[in-house]
Amino acid sequence: MALSNIKGPAIFLAQFAGDTAPYNSWDSITKWAAGHGFVGVQVPTWDGRLFDLKKAASSKDYCDELKGIAKKNGVQITELSTHLQGQLVATHPAYDEQFDGFAPKEMRGNPKKRQAWAVDQLMLGAKASKNLGLKASVTFSGALAWPFIYPFPQRPAGLVETAFDELARRWKPILDAYDKVGVDLCYEVHPSEDLYDGATFEMFLDKVKGHKRCNILYDPSHFVLQQLDYLQYIDLYHDRIKMFHVKDAEFNKNGRTGVYGGYQNWIDRAGRFRSVGDGQVDFKSIFSKLAQYGYKGWAVLEWECCIKHPEDGAREGAAFIRDHVIHVTEKAFDDFAAAGVDEKANRRALGLA
């Protein structure tokens, strides 16, 4: 497999968008991102202050305008995010009220209407990605089986299989729509989604019959909190990893809380998200593995930290990614000692002459 250069640094704008400048308009937030050293931005499609998804799906001129403003300000669009809409494609009734806030007011209290809206949003995301000339998009899978994650009381036979059958039934037409426009749909493998580790991704992939557009956004922070080997994860699933969030985390073993968090706030949990460089993730090894396996996508900062200010996290994050991106070699380090290609000499060396 050929080595490749990872693109970056880029930043996911969701955690920074707001009602005050420079976070409240496309022009100002792209200038802000470039000012911190980023060259790419990942766009939350639900935030109307920055982006109009319906318009982007129907108007190439609007998409060209967005790209033109971004380019003028020194960045480019890396991918679109439909995390919140994807969550609503499959929602267990236990979470109806909590996830109602992800949908427009007129959809709230009506799960069927809300779900149909979410599917339409994903379809618009495919068209908008094509109009923007993008190759990948990120979403959440949603969850039907998540309330049954712990095997007590014992799960009824076939419950998980039924949940994944239904999950696949809902997502298959969406995956087909992304395939039609040549865009990979990358699920952020994440607790609270039915796709939260390697085994669950494999289960879903099997249910959608290995769909080529069913791929992964790799975020090691979620695996630190689960105590999963995030480096071996790349070895196992590198052919499906098409997007990458650079987010740090730490797990501080103690006698009071564990991986479930004890219902504590983020700062009092054993597992905590941290600004990049402040946690325990071995990013040097991650960047090396991704380069080794030919990852051609972006390294996108997702800032989430229970301690550090977001502005500091963004500024430090751009430099951190830039320092970790590997400019891959175009030749072997021992080429200077090469003796050239000589089939006759090779046969003599093997005793075959």
Side-chain angles (χ1 to χ4, degrees):
M1 182 174 292
L3 300 174
S4 66
N5 290 312
I6 298 171
K7 294 179 284 189
I11 186 169
F12 186 27
L13 297 177
Q15 285 85 2
F16 295 91
D19 291 327
T20 59
Y23 316 108
N24 60 348
S25 76
W26 181 246
D27 182 50
S28 61
I29 202 167
T30 50
K31 286 178 182 173
W32 168 85
H36 278 302
F38 294 100
V39 296
V41 291
Q42 190 177 91
V43 184
T45 61
W46 60 86
D47 199 316
R49 293 167 297 195
L50 309 180
F51 187 81
D52 186 326
L53 178 58
K54 190 172 184 180
K55 194 172 181 180
S58 62
S59 173
K60 183 72 163 52
D61 288 341
Y62 172 69
C63 290
D64 289 344
E65 180 186 352
L66 287 175
K67 291 196 295 183
I69 293 169
K71 184 178 180 180
K72 173 180 66 95
N73 292 336
V75 297
Q76 68 182 91
I77 299 171
T78 64
E79 303 99 357
L80 300 182
S81 156
T82 54
H83 282 89
L84 302 194
Q85 300 99 314
Q87 183 75 62
L88 301 182
V89 170
T91 300
H92 189 280
Y95 298 100
D96 267 344
E97 287 200 25
Q98 289 169 275
F99 287 140
D100 246 356
F102 288 6
K105 290 182 180 179
E106 60 268 25
M107 309 292 174
R108 296 174 189 174
N110 189 331
K112 287 187 178 180
K113 190 176 181 181
R114 185 186 65 196
Q115 199 261 346
W117 171 84
V119 171
D120 183 61
Q121 287 278 294
L122 266 294
M123 297 300 193
L124 293 176
K127 294 176 182 177
S129 293
K130 180 184 178 183
N131 284 342
L132 287 163
L134 304 177
K135 298 300 183 184
S137 183
V138 57
T139 195
F140 278 149
S141 69
L144 299 173
W146 181 255
F148 305 95
I149 184 172
Y150 199 79
F152 185 85
Q154 189 179 64
R155 288 187 290 261
L159 180 142
V160 172
E161 289 76 11
T162 299
F164 275 77
D165 283 341
E166 177 63 19
L167 198 67
R169 186 190 70 80
R170 296 186 187 189
W171 280 105
K172 178 63 164 55
I174 300 172
L175 287 164
D176 288 344
Y178 279 77
D179 188 35
K180 187 176 180 180
V181 297
V183 176
D184 290 318
L185 189 57
C186 302
Y187 295 94
E188 182 166 357
V189 178
H190 185 298
S192 78
E193 312 304 316
D194 278 344
L195 278 58
Y196 65 88
D197 60 9
T200 51
F201 178 77
E202 289 176 19
M203 291 164 61
F204 180 71
L205 186 63
D206 181 64
K207 295 292 186 182
V208 295
K209 303 186 185 309
H211 202 295
K212 69 178 183 179
R213 297 300 176 184
C214 178
N215 289 294
I216 294 170
L217 179 146
Y218 173 75
D219 183 336
S221 68
H222 301 300
F223 301 148
V224 169
L225 269 55
Q226 294 182 68
Q227 293 293 277
L228 182 151
D229 187 333
Y230 54 84
L231 294 176
Q232 189 182 57
Y233 195 95
I234 300 174
D235 293 327
L236 293 171
Y237 305 112
H238 57 85
D239 59 333
R240 292 280 175 172
I241 295 173
K242 307 295 184 182
M243 293 175 65
F244 171 30
H245 270 177
V246 181
K247 190 171 80 175
D248 214 339
E250 63 187 2
F251 190 85
N252 302 305
K253 290 184 179 180
N254 65 80
R256 186 167 179 263
T257 65
V259 294
Y260 303 111
Y263 298 114
Q264 301 303 294
N265 59 34
W266 277 108
I267 204 162
D268 293 323
R269 297 167 69 98
R272 312 189 298 186
F273 295 130
R274 298 299 309 276
S275 284
V276 289
D278 294 344
Q280 298 167 350
V281 175
D282 180 2
F283 282 106
K284 283 189 175 182
S285 294
I286 288 173
F287 275 85
S288 292
K289 277 187 178 289
L290 289 175
Q292 169 193 337
Y293 285 120
Y295 175 74
K296 296 180 176 64
W298 287 85
V300 181
L301 176 74
E302 183 181 24
W303 175 86
E304 289 183 1
C305 186
C306 57
I307 297 175
K308 183 168 285 183
H309 192 280
E311 278 287 340
D312 294 333
R315 185 185 65 255
E316 294 173 5
F320 186 92
I321 293 173
R322 190 167 53 249
D323 289 345
H324 280 74
V325 167
I326 297 170
H327 182 203
V328 300
T329 182
E330 296 174 352
K331 63 179 184 178
F333 63 86
D334 55 357
D335 277 353
F336 73 94
V341 178
D342 185 331
E343 179 63 16
K344 290 182 179 179
N346 288 342
R347 293 186 65 81
R348 286 196 300 272
L350 293 168
L352 301 175

